[in-house]
Each structure stands twice: as C-alpha cells, then as structure tokens.
Amino acid sequence: MKRIFLSALGFCALAFAASAQDNPPKHIRFLALGELPVWREELKDGVRKGIKPPEGSVPPAATALLSGDQAIPFKMTLRAFTNVLTMAPTTPKLEIRKGKDAAATPWLSTRKPAAPLSLGVLFRDPATMSWNNPKMLLLKDDPSALKPGEIRFVNVSDKTVLVKLGTKAFGIAPGKTATKPIKEGRFRLVHSLY
C-alpha cells in the first residue's frame, strides 16, 4: 500500500513539474499613450495650487497587476514604460486593478499574453476619450519582435496615420502596428492623421 501511495505522489510531482515547464511565467511591461490634460491651477491664500485633473482624463494613480492570487503594484505614467512585471503560470488572464491590492476594482481585463515577454500598449477608449474603460494592444516584446535597427510604430487613434520616414511613406490603420528598418544617422520623420 505504501509503495502505491508513494509512486502516485511521485507521478503527481512529475506531472506538476511538466505542467510548470509547459506553462512558464509571462513577463509584461506597459506603455500608456495619450496626451496630458490641460494644466489648471488656482490661487489660495497667495499660493498657486494645481487642480486635480477630471476623472478619466489620466490613467489611475495606483495600479496593480494580478499574478496568481497576488497583486503586484506598479506606477503607470503617460508616455513612459513601466518596469517589467511577472505573471505567475497559474494566472488565468491579464488583469490590472485600480489600486494596489488584489481586492481593488478591476480596471482592465483581457486574455493572457502568449509570448514570454509582451508589451501592453494602453490607450483611452476612442468612443468616450476616457481612461475609465481603457483599450490595449498586446504586442510581442521579446528579441524576435524587433531586430536591431528597426523601429515600431503603433497607431492607437481611430484614424489611419500616414508616416513619412525619410523619403518613404506608409499608412498604419487604426489599432495596428508597423515595423520599419532605420539607418544610423539623421532622418526626417513626419506623421499625419487621415
């Protein structure tokens, strides 16, 4: 009886180890794109004080990524990459909370990244122009995503973007990306919305 029980435990341990190898942790960083709201201030007792921007005009001040049953707090700033965060293999989906702990209100929920290293490009809902219901493009961000000497363009607007890189022009549809080679040195970059 003891041998059967021990061999069953050994089989479970092997199955768990194989499962962990098949489902490694995922790593992700985020980039929130958009414009800052207009700066407003007021004069109180001879001192200028900034007025808090309206709700939904910027991403939340405190955010956390769920990793298994833990929350990993991180700071999100417009037009700046976050640190790389790790999602445990047991995490069923990508979920960001509006706060620093696992019990905080969900802010964004989507499928779990497939790539070992991903980039989540976040942007305001184009319909409401609010950060209360953000949208995200989930992009591969490992070494195979960009070769040395390449640049990636991401269009998070609701219009096609025309980009002129040096003497060549190309369009990027809404919600799409384009990767182009660039040469070392000076070159001209121009973009327009259509």
Side-chain angles (χ1 to χ4, degrees), residues 24-37:
K26 304 293 182 184
H27 307 283
I28 189 165
R29 62 184 177 151
F30 298 99
L31 175 62
L33 295 179
E35 298 300 320
L36 290 169

Side-chain angles (χ1 to χ4, degrees), residues 78-192:
L78 282 172
R79 296 178 276 176
F81 288 101
T82 65
N83 292 329
V84 175
L85 307 167
T86 300
M87 297 173 66
T90 57
T91 309
K93 61 184 174 180
L94 189 154
E95 191 164 346
I96 299 175
R97 297 293 173 115
K98 195 175 181 178
K100 294 186 177 186
D101 57 30
T105 307
W107 183 59
L108 176 113
S109 183
T110 188
R111 64 182 167 82
K112 187 175 178 178
L117 178 60
S118 299
L119 171 64
V121 179
L122 296 156
F123 54 100
R124 294 184 293 185
D125 181 354
T128 62
M129 292 309 287
S130 171
W131 281 102
N132 290 333
N133 184 27
K135 304 300 177 198
M136 184 176 73
L137 291 175
L138 193 56
L139 307 173
K140 197 173 179 184
D141 201 31
D142 61 13
S144 69
L146 283 174
K147 297 179 188 113
E150 286 186 334
I151 186 170
R152 178 166 43 197
F153 297 90
V154 180
N155 182 3
V156 296
S157 74
D158 59 349
K159 300 189 181 337
T160 297
V161 174
L162 180 64
V163 179
K164 187 173 181 185
L165 184 61
T167 58
K168 297 180 181 175
F170 58 94
I172 307 171
K176 300 296 180 186
T177 66
T179 304
K180 299 291 179 184
I182 57 170
K183 294 182 180 173
E184 188 176 333
R186 296 180 71 179
F187 61 91
R188 187 173 177 176
L189 174 64
V190 180
H191 63 84
S192 301

Side-chain angles (χ1 to χ4, degrees), residues 39-57:
W39 173 258
R40 296 180 328 161
E41 57 188 31
E42 61 186 358
L43 192 63
K44 280 192 173 180
D45 301 325
V47 178
R48 291 186 186 273
K49 293 188 178 185
I51 298 172
K52 189 176 176 181
E55 176 69 24
S57 62

